[in-house]
């Protein structure tokens, strides 16, 4: 075996699952921004005590 490296199946599955999770998060953020749902959410709804009215 000259230069050929093998990876355990768990490592490959870990990379794939990590990619799926990151893709899901990015698609969720894109849905919030593109759908206009981000306009209804504001920082005041999340932390009402911090934001001055």
């Amino acid at each position: 075996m000259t230069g050929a490296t093998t990876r355990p199946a768990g490592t490959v599955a870990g990379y794939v699952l990590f990619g799926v999770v990151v893709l899901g998060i990015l698609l969720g953020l894109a849905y919030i921004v593109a759908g206009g749902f981000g306009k209804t959410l504001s920082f005041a709804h999340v932390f009402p005590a911090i934001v001055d009215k």
Side-chain angles (χ1 to χ4, degrees):
M1 298 208 333
T2 57
T5 59
T6 58
R7 293 181 185 237
T11 304
V12 174
Y15 285 133
V16 170
L17 288 176
F18 179 74
V20 168
V21 169
V22 169
L23 181 64
I25 291 171
L26 291 176
L27 285 174
L29 288 174
Y31 174 77
I32 289 173
V33 171
F37 186 64
K39 291 181 181 177
T40 61
L41 290 176
S42 69
F43 193 72
H45 290 99
V46 180
F47 296 107
I50 296 176
V51 178
D52 292 332
K53 301 222 178 197

